[in-house]
Amino acid sequence: MSAPGMPADIAVDLSVDLCGIRLRNPVLAASGTFGFGREMAEVFPLSSLGGIVSKGITLLPRRGNPPPRVAETASGMLNSVGLQNPGIEAFLREELPFMVAQGCAVAVNIAGAGAEEYEALVERLDRTPVDLIEVNLSCPNVREGCMAFGATARGVESLVSRIRPRTRKPLAIKLTPQADSISETARAAESAGADAVSLVNTLLGMAIDIETRRPVLANNVGGLSGPAILPVALRMVHEVAGTVRIPVIGMGGIQTGQDAIAFLLAGATAIQVGTATLINPTACQDVVNEIASWMRAHSVPTVRSLIGDLRLNP
Amino acid sequence: MSAPGMPADIAVDLSVDLCGIRLRNPVLAASGTFGFGREMAEVFPLSSLGGIVSKGITLLPRRGNPPPRVAETASGMLNSVGLQNPGIEAFLREELPFMVAQGCAVAVNIAGAGAEEYEALVERLDRTPVDLIEVNLSCPNVREGCMAFGATARGVESLVSRIRPRTRKPLAIKLTPQADSISETARAAESAGADAVSLVNTLLGMAIDIETRRPVLANNVGGLSGPAILPVALRMVHEVAGTVRIPVIGMGGIQTGQDAIAFLLAGATAIQVGTATLINPTACQDVVNEIASWMRAHSVPTVRSLIGDLRLNP
Amino acid sequence: MNAEGEGVSGMANENGDRFHTDAVPREAPILSCRELLPGLMLYRIQDPFLASCARPGQFVNLKTPDGFLRRPISLCRIRPGEGAVDIGIRALGAGTRALCRMGCGERIDWIGPLGRGFLLPPRSNQGTSDDADRPDRPLLLAVGGGIGIFPLLGLLEEARARGMGTLSVLGFRDPSQAFLLREFREISDRSLFASDTGGLDHHGNAVEAVRQLLSDPSVRQAVGKGGLRMAACGPHPMMKAVARLAEDLGIPCQVSLEQRMGCGTGVCLVCACEVRRKNPEGGPATDYVRCCREGPVFDAREVVWE
Amino acid sequence: MNAEGEGVSGMANENGDRFHTDAVPREAPILSCRELLPGLMLYRIQDPFLASCARPGQFVNLKTPDGFLRRPISLCRIRPGEGAVDIGIRALGAGTRALCRMGCGERIDWIGPLGRGFLLPPRSNQGTSDDADRPDRPLLLAVGGGIGIFPLLGLLEEARARGMGTLSVLGFRDPSQAFLLREFREISDRSLFASDTGGLDHHGNAVEAVRQLLSDPSVRQAVGKGGLRMAACGPHPMMKAVARLAEDLGIPCQVSLEQRMGCGTGVCLVCACEVRRKNPEGGPATDYVRCCREGPVFDAREVVWE
Ligand SMILES: Cc1cc2nc3c(=O)[nH]c(=O)nc-3n(C[C@H](O)[C@H](O)[C@H](O)COP(=O)(O)OP(=O)(O)OC[C@H]3O[C@@H](n4cnc5c(N)ncnc54)[C@H](O)[C@@H]3O)c2cc1C
Ligand SMILES: Cc1cc2nc3c(=O)[nH]c(=O)nc-3n(C[C@H](O)[C@H](O)[C@H](O)COP(=O)(O)OP(=O)(O)OC[C@H]3O[C@@H](n4cnc5c(N)ncnc54)[C@H](O)[C@@H]3O)c2cc1C
Ligand SMILES: Cc1cc2nc3c(=O)[nH]c(=O)nc-3n(C[C@H](O)[C@H](O)[C@H](O)COP(=O)(O)O)c2cc1C
Ligand SMILES: Cc1cc2nc3c(=O)[nH]c(=O)nc-3n(C[C@H](O)[C@H](O)[C@H](O)COP(=O)(O)O)c2cc1C
Ligand code: FES
Ligand code: FES
């Protein structure tokens, strides 16, 4: 950050258009690491973000998996929360009004055990002030549904086709890195009418306590997130952005503005910050500020000019 | 390591049987991070290891990819060496005699651009003092062949069926974590006559230099290795060990004896240490010693009793 | 930063007590450190904000030089006068081992105070040490084991400051593993130290020692109108046994639970503790709540013990 | 450990010189440190083994508190008498930034010496400073820029110790970026410092300064029977230009290349440098060799410059 570039007080334009939603900046708080925004709203004003994504919501309340639900790994963590959530009705009643009042875009992350549950969730959300529905086809922590759809192009295509007619809200399909080929599942989502794809969700992993000879997680396996997975996520975002025309929401291990810019260059229109918030509660806001400083230092007036501007080596 | 267990001088039995090869201990030096053993033989006696695996060998000499070929990532690294090697003839002439003289098992890792090349390599190795042929169906760094076979069960099955009749040497098939389903590719390898499976190879990843707006690696993408991938590798080893009856050679991010024991518990009969050698040249030997100390401290007389002894949570 | 300002929340509990929490990372210098036992350090750390609003039983979440996630550590003593707090850390895994290598002058990166601490009855009148024998003053019995004794020291201080009578029972594997005995003796009207291998006041475990203490006529006599409450922190089996004993005897008891954490701030839901709760939606009679937010201190009767 | 002992290899090069390498990790204490410029540290580190067998141009591979792979750093001065070596580190990324924060008494975890250093003609007779004017003594001209000047300091010392005449040309962006000038002046019979922005001996880049120096009649006269050799270390474009100039003038020239490394010991093949080599199998006229093992110092004519 030595070269001065633009004066520190000059405004840089961080706004992006994400399938018709104008975001103040491309930084969203990822699902599952930001609750419903209540706790973090005490830490910094959420209006400084592009948007927030709710914890995954199901039709009925879910208890989630038994603890332990977390294992630390090298530069990452495994979680097996298992979609603990109050169910859509309690969410709409108790949480959404608060989220909407924060002054940034609001996405609701949904998960279902079968196509019918996804349909019902999407219908229920259609007449709410939600800006974007993020359809989680990639949760590794529940036995039913979810990942089963997300693992193959055919599964994604059939599910998205069923939910598409039920809402006019923009749909972002959240893809799993465990898919046969993530470009194919992304293409399937696009052709079935998705407005965007979100990637990546966590990678299925395991940690073992060699003293007890048991997995650390009560659920035996969990989802790997954090900087450890960044190179894999970045490669997938680049691959998918080169394949589909709908916007890509990139995530996986982003901790800094620099990381976020790498995802933008790789082709993401917006990015999400997940696990970083667990270590640094102000991570999302810091990423926004670091993107802005970097743009000033490099005389980049608009964040849009970064999107997809990666030049491949010959 | 507080509880004393066995006295420090009591011998523990680290030996394992890997498809008919008796290994002094379950620790092998992985392919591509140990050269042909020459450099490391100056650091510690290779006879202290279970075995060593050569850098990937092709029929003709290969230059490999242009540099930069390495990018550091959080708790890991990307490499895009691209199978630089002197070709099978020079290898047999210049390197194999040295490897065989070290007093541990010797595996040769082979890679081909097509089935014919694999056939020719396997045939050529049949009448050599090699103990094990590790068939790399998973190199992410070459455009041709290799990963194309490894990505699907059908590809693995067809390739292994073609090479199986050409040698009586044990064949270990090295699988890619990018496969549709690694248990299916493992099962395909088994049913086509493989004697063992090795997993995992590196995960395809990318690093971007945001200043130049180019990928760090001249090859744009590379293979992710190191502790970052351990949870994913461990989960896959566990999954595969529960699926096939042939032995599993486990690897991915192992740095310590503790890590190695986790892989053994997950079902690996032997393990390989790769990237750790780059940071700590004595890593392989240290892992052997740490396994032995742990066994003494826990009064575990044979390493064989650890293999697959993971108890899942209910 | 003041207690009602930015980034500070007030979580009111059923008794109307408010616990202020703060998740903005701060760097705080280590003022002094003391090795209590090999691998067990007591640090005094400067953080006037924390010292001004933290309550016994709350915790901080520390960055460690060797580890990815933060590590939750209970506040031990809270020293508003000095603008500092004490914390005790046992070197267990790589993360706490690295923390225990830190020395004076180094800076800790932490967030806090976090979670809900222990509830104490409101100060009835200005308690001073000379009302130590007032028959209607409420009594607190703190029961601890291992590193669980740290938060109890601050709790007993606070209880005495509120005019309560203070009793403590601490359990250790053996006398060589005991620590902070002098401090607990000083802050307790009556203390009883137990060791599984003998050599301290009581030969046996902490729960037996509690039973012994409670059967002592002078203690039974001291339980006047103000009543007796218990607070426990230590190994899971100890807390479970203390909870059962308290329930049997009809004594209100709070326990401080431990659960592996991610954020410590309530956003990630990994720190689930199973408790009995009135579920407004119907459904199961127990629920997972967040150790870091609804806890770590719970009413013992709420807890579903494994 | 002795130079022929366990874990030590002798790599003989074409001239018969042997470079000892050692890949067993050792911890070595920092004896002193000196800030040459903001973000540029010179460390003296105790390691009698390294000091006894390392040669100028060889490097060590250091663990850094902040980073996964080791970082290769050239040896600057080798001090067998003191059992120590000097290294200079520029804080570039996170890894070297963390290294530059290390202070006296802390320990560095490193392996080395590694790679092949600079070749010097064998000491013809016991050179002392008073044969400085012997007309047949060989001359060494060291050309450096930026952090590339570090290994040249040790090289010039060794050259003088072998009775060679020493010339040095160093290039810097501007005078405020210059460092170690006094040291280079002392060790060189003649030195010329260039700055792109003026303010030093020569206004311009190092290559132009070399050209100027070589056209100086007194220097041309000094090139006697012993001949002139060049050694260059610095930014890639500088080395490329020096190599071309040397080739044009028919002066033997060695360059120390930089390449991103993994192991530093020769096992991982990530540090490929493209060189012209006689390929026994036929095939392409150039080949990738290991910067860490066949290099980092190469004959300039071998190198395939991009
Ligand atoms: C509310 C609360 C208060 C605590 N107060 C104290 C205290 O005052 N003093 C003290 O020494 N310890 C305390 N602990 C326990 C302390 O947090 C763990 O010992 C520590 O996290 C272990 O980290 P490690 O790096 O040593 O272990 P590692 O095994 O290296 O840690 C790996 C991972 O497991 C988690 N973990 C491992 N063991 C535990 C555990 N027992 N509890 C929670 N997480 C664990 C770590 O946080 C980390 O994510 C408290 C825990 C909680 C939940
Ligand atoms: C043979 C050799 C000798 C060297 N001698 C010195 C020296 O004496 N003093 C000095 O200050 N520097 C020297 N360098 C350069 C030094 O190794 C790099 O500046 C350093 O590795 C960068 O690490 P970082 O953590 O600052 O950068 P980061 O960008 O954080 O490093 C990320 C990764 O890229 C690699 N990398 C980044 N830049 C370089 C580079 N220019 N060369 C090699 N690898 C790089 C790092 O090793 C690391 O793996 C030498 C390099 C080589 C190859
Ligand atoms: C504790 C935790 C809970 C998560 N819960 C959800 C969820 O409910 N729905 C979802 O789509 N993704 C969930 N995720 C995945 C994240 O949104 C994100 O895709 C993933 O963690 C990768 O990004 P990161 O490395 O920045 O965390 C969760 C991740 C974590 C760590
Ligand atoms: C620099 C490098 C080169 C490699 N070359 C090969 C190879 O030639 N053949 C192969 O099968 N695997 C190769 N691998 C993969 C390793 O053998 C191993 O499967 C992988 O790195 C995961 O293990 P690790 O995390 O312990 O390194 C290479 C890995 C690295 C880091
Ligand atoms: S630790 Fe994240 S919610 Fe409790
Ligand atoms: S850095 Fe590994 S071979 Fe050179």
Side-chain angles (χ1 to χ4, degrees):
Chain A
M1 282 337 63
S2 49
M6 296 180 173
D9 53 338
I10 280 207
V12 283
D13 179 2
L14 269 74
S15 68
V16 295
D17 177 284
L18 180 68
C19 42
I21 312 159
R22 187 168 176 84
L23 302 179
R24 182 170 300 111
N25 59 60
V27 180
L28 311 173
S31 176
T33 52
F34 211 77
F36 302 116
R38 280 189 195 281
E39 295 79 11
M40 290 303 122
E42 292 165 5
V43 176
F44 62 89
L46 305 191
S47 60
S48 63
L49 301 183
I52 54 179
V53 187
S54 78
K55 171 71 189 162
I57 300 292
T58 51
L59 210 48
L60 297 178
R62 274 184 72 99
R63 274 162 73 83
N65 291 320
R69 293 177 174 181
V70 62
E72 187 180 74
T73 70
S75 297
M77 63 177 273
L78 292 166
N79 90 80
S80 60
V81 171
L83 291 178
Q84 177 176 345
N85 81 91
I88 185 82
E89 293 307 330
F91 166 73
L92 292 177
R93 199 173 56 238
E94 316 279 345
E95 307 293 352
L96 186 61
F98 177 86
M99 290 176 80
V100 168
Q102 299 311 305
C104 62
V106 171
V108 175
N109 182 281
I110 59 167
E116 297 70 25
E117 187 170 351
Y118 282 103
E119 287 174 346
L121 286 162
V122 162
E123 261 174 14
R124 186 68 186 84
L125 287 166
D126 190 47
R127 286 138 302 129
T128 64
V130 160
D131 295 302
L132 176 74
I133 305 177
E134 187 176 61
V135 184
N136 180 357
L137 295 186
S138 43
C139 181
N141 290 323
V142 291
R143 276 159 230 266
E144 333 83 52
C146 221
M147 266 253 300
F149 293 107
T152 63
R154 189 176 318 170
V156 170
E157 165 108 44
S158 91
L159 188 97
V160 177
S161 308
R162 284 184 66 167
I163 59 174
R164 176 68 284 179
R166 318 258 165 172
T167 185
R168 281 144 305 151
K169 298 270 184 205
L171 289 174
I173 309 302
K174 188 154 173 187
L175 303 174
T176 170
Q178 265 89 229
D180 295 12
S181 151
I182 197 151
S183 337
E184 280 172 31
T185 49
R187 210 183 289 118
E190 178 179 42
S191 72
D195 301 286
V197 283
S198 284
L199 59 148
V200 297
N201 210 316
T202 53
L203 276 81
L204 199 59
M206 187 182 227
I208 292 176
D209 180 338
I210 65 172
E211 302 300 323
T212 60
R213 302 198 185 181
R214 288 186 180 277
V216 173
L217 300 173
N219 192 46
N220 296 316
V221 293
L224 181 65
S225 63
I229 71 169
L230 187 145
V232 174
L234 190 58
R235 188 264 301 173
M236 288 183 169
V237 165
H238 179 253
E239 207 175 298
V240 169
T243 305
V244 297
R245 263 176 312 252
I246 51 177
V248 174
I249 306 172
M251 77 203 76
I254 295 174
Q255 285 188 304
T256 65
Q258 265 73 359
D259 296 340
I261 291 167
F263 276 83
L264 296 171
L265 291 171
T269 298
I271 60 95
Q272 294 182 12
V273 176
T275 303
T277 293
L278 276 49
I279 293 149
N280 174 16
T282 59
C284 290
Q285 194 187 30
D286 294 350
V287 167
V288 173
N289 293 336
E290 287 160 9
I291 294 174
S293 317
W294 189 92
M295 285 170 61
R296 278 191 207 97
H298 291 75
S299 302
V300 173
T302 73
V303 92
R304 291 183 297 281
S305 66
L306 295 171
I307 298 171
D309 196 38
L310 182 72
R311 295 145 208 193
L312 289 182
N313 295 312
Chain B
M1 280 339 61
S2 48
M6 297 179 170
D9 53 338
I10 279 206
V12 282
D13 180 2
L14 269 73
S15 69
V16 295
D17 177 285
L18 179 69
C19 43
I21 312 159
R22 188 171 174 81
L23 302 179
R24 180 170 301 112
N25 59 59
V27 180
L28 311 173
S31 176
T33 52
F34 211 78
F36 301 115
R38 282 189 193 281
E39 295 79 12
M40 290 302 123
E42 292 165 6
V43 176
F44 64 88
L46 304 191
S47 60
S48 63
L49 301 184
I52 54 179
V53 186
S54 77
K55 171 68 190 163
I57 300 291
T58 51
L59 210 49
L60 297 179
R62 274 182 70 97
R63 274 163 72 84
N65 292 320
R69 292 176 174 182
V70 62
E72 188 179 72
T73 69
S75 296
M77 63 178 271
L78 292 166
N79 90 80
S80 59
V81 171
L83 292 178
Q84 175 177 345
N85 82 90
I88 185 83
E89 293 307 330
F91 166 74
L92 293 177
R93 200 173 56 237
E94 316 280 344
E95 308 292 352
L96 187 61
F98 176 86
M99 290 176 80
V100 168
Q102 299 310 304
C104 62
V106 172
V108 176
N109 181 281
I110 59 167
E116 297 71 25
E117 187 169 351
Y118 281 103
E119 287 174 345
L121 285 162
V122 162
E123 260 174 15
R124 187 68 187 82
L125 287 165
D126 190 47
R127 285 139 302 130
T128 63
V130 160
D131 294 301
L132 176 74
I133 304 176
E134 187 175 62
V135 184
N136 180 357
L137 295 186
S138 43
C139 180
N141 290 323
V142 291
R143 277 159 228 267
E144 332 82 53
C146 221
M147 267 253 300
F149 293 107
T152 64
R154 187 176 319 167
V156 171
E157 165 107 46
S158 92
L159 189 98
V160 178
S161 310
R162 283 183 67 168
I163 59 174
R164 177 66 285 178
R166 316 261 165 168
T167 184
R168 282 144 305 151
K169 298 272 184 204
L171 289 175
I173 310 302
K174 187 156 176 187
L175 302 174
T176 170
Q178 264 88 230
D180 294 13
S181 151
I182 198 150
S183 337
E184 280 172 31
T185 50
R187 208 182 292 118
E190 179 179 43
S191 72
D195 301 285
V197 283
S198 286
L199 59 148
V200 295
N201 209 318
T202 53
L203 276 81
L204 198 59
M206 188 183 227
I208 291 176
D209 180 338
I210 65 172
E211 302 300 322
T212 61
R213 302 197 184 181
R214 289 187 179 278
V216 174
L217 301 173
N219 192 46
N220 296 316
V221 294
L224 182 65
S225 63
I229 70 168
L230 188 144
V232 174
L234 190 58
R235 188 264 302 175
M236 288 184 169
V237 165
H238 179 254
E239 207 177 298
V240 168
T243 305
V244 298
R245 264 177 310 257
I246 52 176
V248 174
I249 307 172
M251 77 203 76
I254 295 174
Q255 285 187 304
T256 65
Q258 266 72 358
D259 295 340
I261 290 166
F263 276 83
L264 296 171
L265 291 172
T269 299
I271 60 94
Q272 294 182 12
V273 176
T275 304
T277 293
L278 275 48
I279 292 149
N280 174 15
T282 60
C284 290
Q285 195 186 30
D286 294 350
V287 167
V288 173
N289 294 336
E290 287 159 10
I291 295 174
S293 318
W294 188 91
M295 287 170 61
R296 280 192 207 97
H298 291 75
S299 301
V300 173
T302 73
V303 91
R304 291 183 296 282
S305 65
L306 294 171
I307 296 170
D309 195 39
L310 183 71
R311 294 146 209 193
L312 288 184
N313 295 311
Chain C
M1 241 181 310
N2 79 29
E4 303 296 327
E6 270 251 270
V8 176
S9 72
M11 295 193 294
N13 61 37
E14 294 143 31
N15 284 30
D17 288 63
R18 285 173 68 83
F19 292 103
H20 294 287
T21 67
D22 190 318
V24 179
R26 294 187 303 281
E27 293 217 326
I30 300 177
L31 295 177
S32 68
C33 50
R34 181 176 143 205
E35 191 179 55
L36 298 173
L37 287 175
L40 188 63
M41 299 295 292
L42 186 68
Y43 288 107
R44 181 154 313 160
I45 292 162
Q46 190 181 328
D47 187 332
F49 169 72
L50 195 61
S52 72
C53 69
R55 294 271 301 274
Q58 288 193 293
F59 66 98
V60 284
N61 214 1
L62 277 74
K63 260 206 188 147
T64 157
D66 196 352
F68 178 66
L69 298 169
R70 290 174 182 267
R71 300 293 190 263
I73 298 291
S74 290
L75 294 169
C76 175
R77 279 174 147 165
I78 299 156
R79 306 171 171 274
E82 296 164 54
V85 297
D86 290 357
I87 56 172
I89 309 184
R90 158 158 297 162
L92 193 75
T96 47
R97 263 204 308 276
L99 284 171
C100 283
R101 276 194 299 269
M102 296 188 74
C104 248
E106 289 187 66
R107 287 167 167 274
I108 277 182
D109 175 325
W110 68 18
I111 57 178
L114 299 173
R116 293 174 194 238
F118 292 99
L119 298 178
L120 288 176
R123 188 187 314 252
S124 47
N125 50 26
Q126 294 311 342
T128 60
S129 45
D130 44 318
D131 53 24
D133 291 319
R134 275 191 24 224
D136 61 344
R137 70 190 177 131
L139 287 184
L140 175 74
L141 166 54
V143 187
I147 53 164
I149 75 173
F150 287 121
L152 299 178
L153 190 56
L155 175 64
L156 288 163
E157 281 183 339
E158 168 87 10
R160 179 169 280 179
R162 292 197 182 193
M164 296 179 77
T166 53
L167 308 170
S168 59
V169 170
L170 305 184
F172 301 99
R173 199 135 26 95
D174 62 81
S176 74
Q177 298 294 307
F179 56 95
L180 293 180
L181 299 191
R182 190 173 51 76
E183 286 79 356
F184 274 90
R185 220 173 266 126
E186 278 172 17
I187 198 62
S188 310
D189 301 334
R190 175 113 181 232
S191 61
L192 192 60
F193 303 137
S195 153
D196 295 339
T197 59
L200 295 178
D201 305 333
H202 177 87
H203 186 147
N205 69 29
V207 189
E208 294 158 8
V210 170
R211 227 185 279 274
Q212 181 190 310
L213 187 77
L214 293 180
S215 63
D216 183 317
S218 73
V219 171
R220 297 172 75 151
Q221 215 173 5
V223 181
K225 260 210 321 218
L228 172 71
R229 285 140 215 268
M230 284 169 69
C233 187
H236 194 89
M238 183 209 90
M239 287 198 285
K240 183 175 173 177
V242 171
R244 179 164 315 155
L245 179 62
E247 180 138 35
D248 290 349
L249 302 176
I251 303 170
C253 178
Q254 300 169 69
V255 292
S256 178
L257 299 185
E258 229 185 68
Q259 187 51 271
R260 284 177 185 251
M261 290 187 176
C263 62
T265 62
V267 298
C268 76
L269 306 186
V270 303
C271 60
C273 290
E274 195 175 5
V275 298
R276 285 183 199 84
R277 282 274 160 104
K278 23 213 163 299
N279 186 338
E281 304 275 316
T286 74
D287 216 347
Y288 287 129
V289 297
R290 297 167 296 182
C291 184
C292 71
R293 195 87 178 178
E294 281 79 42
V297 176
F298 293 93
D299 185 321
R301 285 164 309 178
E302 275 188 337
V303 176
V304 179
W305 300 100
E306 290 142 38
Chain D
M1 242 185 306
N2 79 30
E4 303 298 326
E6 270 248 270
V8 176
S9 73
M11 294 193 293
N13 60 36
E14 292 143 31
N15 283 30
D17 289 61
R18 283 172 71 82
F19 292 102
H20 295 289
T21 67
D22 190 317
V24 180
R26 295 188 302 282
E27 291 216 328
I30 299 176
L31 296 178
S32 68
C33 49
R34 181 177 144 206
E35 191 181 56
L36 298 174
L37 288 176
L40 188 63
M41 299 295 293
L42 187 68
Y43 288 107
R44 182 155 311 161
I45 293 162
Q46 191 180 328
D47 187 332
F49 168 71
L50 195 62
S52 73
C53 69
R55 294 270 303 272
Q58 288 193 293
F59 66 99
V60 285
N61 214 2
L62 279 74
K63 261 205 187 148
T64 156
D66 195 353
F68 178 66
L69 297 168
R70 289 175 183 268
R71 300 292 190 265
I73 299 290
S74 291
L75 294 170
C76 174
R77 278 174 149 163
I78 299 156
R79 307 171 171 275
E82 297 163 53
V85 297
D86 290 357
I87 57 171
I89 308 183
R90 157 158 299 162
L92 194 73
T96 47
R97 262 203 309 275
L99 284 170
C100 282
R101 276 194 299 269
M102 296 189 75
C104 245
E106 288 187 64
R107 287 167 167 274
I108 276 181
D109 176 325
W110 68 18
I111 57 177
L114 299 173
R116 294 176 191 233
F118 292 99
L119 298 177
L120 288 176
R123 190 187 314 253
S124 46
N125 48 27
Q126 293 312 341
T128 60
S129 48
D130 44 316
D131 53 25
D133 291 318
R134 274 187 31 218
D136 61 343
R137 71 191 174 129
L139 287 185
L140 175 74
L141 166 55
V143 187
I147 54 165
I149 75 173
F150 288 121
L152 299 179
L153 190 57
L155 176 64
L156 289 164
E157 281 184 340
E158 168 87 11
R160 180 170 279 179
R162 292 198 183 192
M164 295 177 77
T166 53
L167 308 171
S168 60
V169 171
L170 305 183
F172 301 100
R173 198 138 24 97
D174 64 82
S176 73
Q177 299 295 307
F179 55 95
L180 292 180
L181 298 191
R182 191 172 50 77
E183 286 78 356
F184 272 90
R185 220 174 265 129
E186 278 171 17
I187 198 63
S188 310
D189 300 335
R190 176 111 182 234
S191 62
L192 191 61
F193 304 138
S195 154
D196 294 339
T197 61
L200 296 178
D201 305 333
H202 178 88
H203 187 145
N205 68 30
V207 188
E208 293 158 11
V210 170
R211 225 184 279 276
Q212 182 191 312
L213 187 77
L214 292 180
S215 63
D216 184 318
S218 72
V219 171
R220 299 173 75 153
Q221 213 172 9
V223 182
K225 259 211 322 218
L228 173 70
R229 282 142 216 267
M230 284 168 70
C233 187
H236 195 88
M238 184 210 90
M239 287 198 286
K240 183 175 173 178
V242 171
R244 178 161 319 153
L245 179 63
E247 181 140 34
D248 289 349
L249 301 176
I251 303 170
C253 178
Q254 300 169 69
V255 292
S256 178
L257 299 185
E258 230 186 69
Q259 187 51 274
R260 284 176 184 251
M261 290 187 177
C263 62
T265 62
V267 298
C268 75
L269 305 187
V270 302
C271 60
C273 290
E274 195 175 5
V275 299
R276 285 183 198 82
R277 280 274 161 101
K278 21 207 163 311
N279 185 338
E281 303 276 315
T286 74
D287 217 348
Y288 286 129
V289 296
R290 297 166 297 182
C291 184
C292 72
R293 194 84 180 180
E294 280 79 43
V297 177
F298 292 93
D299 185 320
R301 284 164 309 178
E302 275 188 339
V303 177
V304 180
W305 300 99
E306 292 143 33

